[in-house]
Amino acid sequence: MQFKKTILLAALAALGSGATSIAFAGVSADEAKKLGTSLTAVGADKAASADGAIPAYTGGMTTPPAGFKNGDAIRPDPFASEKPVFSIDAKNADKYAGKLTEGAKALLKKNGDYRIDVYPTHRTVAFPKFVEENTAKCAVSAKATNDGRSMEGCHAGFPFPIPKSGFEAMWNHLLRFNFPSTIKYRNWNVDSSGRPIISTEGTIVQEFPYWDKDKAESGIYYRQRINYSGPARRAGEAMMIVDPLDYAQKDRRAWLYLPGQRRVKVAPDLGHDTPNPGTAGASTFDNTFLFNGSMDRFEFKLVGKKDMIVPYNTYKMAYASKAEDLFKAKFLNPDIVRWEQHRVWVVEATLREGKRHIYNKRTFYLDEDSWAVVASDEYDARGQLYRAGFAYITPSYEVPAPSPDLHGIYDLVAGVYSLIGYTAETGGIRPGKALADREWSPDSLAGSGIR
């Protein structure tokens, strides 16, 4: 009720001032005092869950396990010796229905041999000290403006650790903490016959200027450049996107380099429900990281927080698996995917009147410790569950950072699925240095392509 009251007051204030859009402001100084006391520094509940399945937060994992050497890109599994506490399959799914996403329930119902192995919960997510300090400042100063599309009043911190709207929670996801990296990756698709194929492979350079303490005025929170090396028909292509904090004024900028034409093209369509070329069209562009880009096509409603069973601490899958073992017909090998019980924020997105998208409704589940979307349900225009997404969060304990980039999409209608950002066989994820700004120009993209 408090949430509804806050939104109503914000709407009335905007109408009274003659404004054309609604802005969502930060919390009071008194409410911000919860950070670091009853809440963690970034806004999660510190306490354990009522049933004890989720332990109290004690600072996350900041000490790498034995076997990890500084500079390694492959991270050993600190929980390799643990066994599942219980398993969920089609026979007992009803018992756990309240803690499963609709997508997980659909996979269990559709596949009699599908299984979810649930392990002990470990709240491993941790952040550098500056992230926690800046989040405390941002809690009272950040604003979501232009109907939630833009964010201002915060840098190098989570802007809305105590969110009052779905837009604010989703901004925390869009701005989730990460580190500059250069990654060799493969995206895999498994078709309806069970045949796994590499949809694309290449090198991703990604940076997060928002988290660079020296770039407070950049206005950019994320930029990514991909140079494709496969399949053969795409080798030599390159793509670059730049995402702003103020989508209302600048919007996403995107470019493609096509070696056959030997020129760079502006690509304004690389967003929303454009089929993602990285998955050969098996998902939408804004399915990347389960959601990315502008929030202009949906209304985002904050539903609340609940205990859910989601993939978590997936070190075995992310760093120690082989493709031939992981990619099975219809679903990822249950023996390799680790699930745990965690508290998540639930955000419902409904298509705005007058807007178009292949999804009419979406439900996002945001991990309370990292703010990353860790699961999603996507519905088509008929209201039928269409696709289900899962992120396989695997904290980089030596940074420390949550690292939720590995993610996948199940198409429940076509019976296919994809996994995006798989690096277990290509060297893992290594933190790197940010490139100079001149490296993020269209001319530089042309120079990086292979003719």
Side-chain angles (χ1 to χ4, degrees):
M1 292 301 292
Q2 182 59 42
F3 162 70
K4 293 180 178 179
K5 182 179 179 182
T6 302
I7 296 299
L8 178 60
L9 290 173
L12 291 173
L15 291 172
S17 65
T20 57
S21 63
I22 298 172
F24 305 91
V27 300
S28 68
D30 281 345
E31 190 167 12
K33 292 178 181 176
K34 294 178 182 176
L35 299 173
T37 53
S38 59
L39 303 178
T40 70
V42 301
D45 285 317
K46 269 189 173 181
S49 61
D51 64 2
I54 303 172
Y57 185 77
T58 57
M61 175 175 282
T62 56
T63 302
F68 178 81
K69 298 177 182 177
N70 285 335
D72 282 357
I74 298 292
R75 293 168 178 80
D77 184 354
F79 313 115
S81 63
E82 291 186 348
K83 304 296 182 185
V85 179
F86 61 92
S87 296
I88 306 172
D89 57 21
K91 295 178 181 177
N92 65 355
D94 289 346
K95 179 179 178 181
Y96 301 99
K99 294 182 179 179
L100 296 173
T101 69
E102 294 304 312
K105 285 188 278 190
L107 286 170
L108 288 164
K109 183 178 180 180
K110 194 172 185 178
N111 305 293
D113 51 345
Y114 184 57
R115 191 182 79 247
I116 292 173
D117 288 341
V118 184
Y119 289 77
T121 295
H122 297 280
R123 298 180 70 176
T124 46
V125 169
F127 298 98
K129 193 67 176 176
F130 78 89
V131 174
E132 300 179 353
E133 293 172 347
N134 288 342
T135 297
K137 301 174 185 174
C138 292
V140 296
S141 62
K143 297 179 181 178
T145 58
N146 296 313
D147 291 336
R149 294 184 65 194
S150 306
M151 193 287 295
E152 62 185 51
C154 178
H155 179 70
F158 285 97
F160 306 109
I162 307 174
K164 304 298 183 183
S165 76
F167 290 97
E168 292 184 351
M170 293 304 289
W171 266 115
N172 288 339
H173 161 71
L174 292 173
L175 300 176
R176 63 201 177 280
F177 176 73
N178 212 328
F179 49 82
S181 58
T182 299
I183 304 165
K184 290 185 176 180
Y185 79 98
R186 289 177 181 146
N187 292 347
W188 287 82
N189 284 1
V190 179
D191 65 21
S192 57
S193 70
R195 183 171 65 106
I197 56 173
I198 297 175
S199 55
T200 57
E201 62 181 322
T203 301
I204 296 177
V205 178
Q206 60 177 2
E207 294 182 5
F208 309 86
Y210 177 80
W211 293 104
D212 188 330
K213 290 175 284 186
D214 297 326
K215 294 184 176 178
E217 305 301 324
S218 76
I220 296 170
Y221 74 85
Y222 179 66
R223 52 191 180 187
Q224 178 194 75
R225 190 175 75 197
I226 301 178
N227 289 80
Y228 295 101
S229 57
R233 60 183 169 77
R234 299 205 59 189
E237 290 183 17
M239 181 195 76
M240 184 168 70
I241 63 173
V242 177
D243 280 325
L245 290 168
D246 187 353
Y247 279 106
Q249 297 298 320
K250 297 181 179 179
D251 218 337
R252 166 175 285 176
R253 290 173 290 159
W255 299 267
L256 283 173
Y257 172 74
L258 303 175
Q261 301 177 13
R262 296 188 177 183
R263 67 188 181 97
V264 174
K265 298 173 58 178
V266 176
D269 293 335
L270 294 186
H272 299 108
D273 57 354
T274 297
N276 184 355
T279 61
S283 61
T284 64
F285 219 94
D286 65 6
N287 276 143
T288 304
F289 306 131
L290 303 191
F291 184 79
N292 76 99
S294 174
M295 291 188 276
D296 63 313
R297 296 199 181 180
F298 292 88
E299 294 287 353
F300 291 84
K301 175 186 176 183
L302 188 65
V303 177
K305 193 183 282 190
K306 64 184 298 189
D307 297 357
M308 299 287 285
I309 294 170
V310 293
Y312 218 98
N313 291 315
T314 54
Y315 293 92
K316 181 178 181 180
M317 172 182 167
Y319 293 116
S321 63
K322 295 184 180 300
E324 62 186 35
D325 299 325
L326 179 61
F327 298 109
K328 300 300 183 184
K330 302 178 183 177
F331 45 78
L332 294 170
N333 186 346
D335 293 340
I336 299 175
V337 184
R338 179 186 178 108
W339 298 66
E340 298 180 2
Q341 182 171 319
H342 286 262
R343 275 186 294 253
V344 300
W345 287 97
V346 181
V347 174
E348 287 185 356
T350 54
L351 190 63
R352 283 181 169 174
E353 187 175 351
K355 296 290 186 179
R356 298 182 62 182
H357 198 288
I358 65 168
Y359 303 139
N360 188 57
K361 176 186 170 185
R362 314 170 81 165
T363 304
F364 298 105
Y365 305 88
L366 287 68
D367 171 40
E368 69 164 347
D369 287 331
S370 68
W371 287 108
V373 173
V374 289
S376 66
D377 299 320
E378 329 276 355
Y379 298 83
D380 62 18
R382 299 168 297 175
Q384 179 180 347
L385 184 60
Y386 181 6
R387 289 172 174 160
F390 299 99
Y392 302 93
I393 186 169
T394 308
S396 300
Y397 28 68
E398 82 283 10
V399 178
S403 295
D405 290 356
L406 179 63
H407 63 285
I409 302 292
Y410 284 95
D411 187 323
L412 300 167
V413 176
V416 303
Y417 72 93
S418 57
L419 186 70
I420 299 99
Y422 183 60
T423 65
E425 296 181 326
T426 53
I429 302 172
R430 189 190 311 279
K433 293 183 179 179
L435 301 177
D437 286 342
R438 64 177 180 275
E439 300 293 329
W440 293 96
S441 67
D443 288 343
S444 178
L445 183 67
S448 71
I450 300 173
R451 297 180 173 86

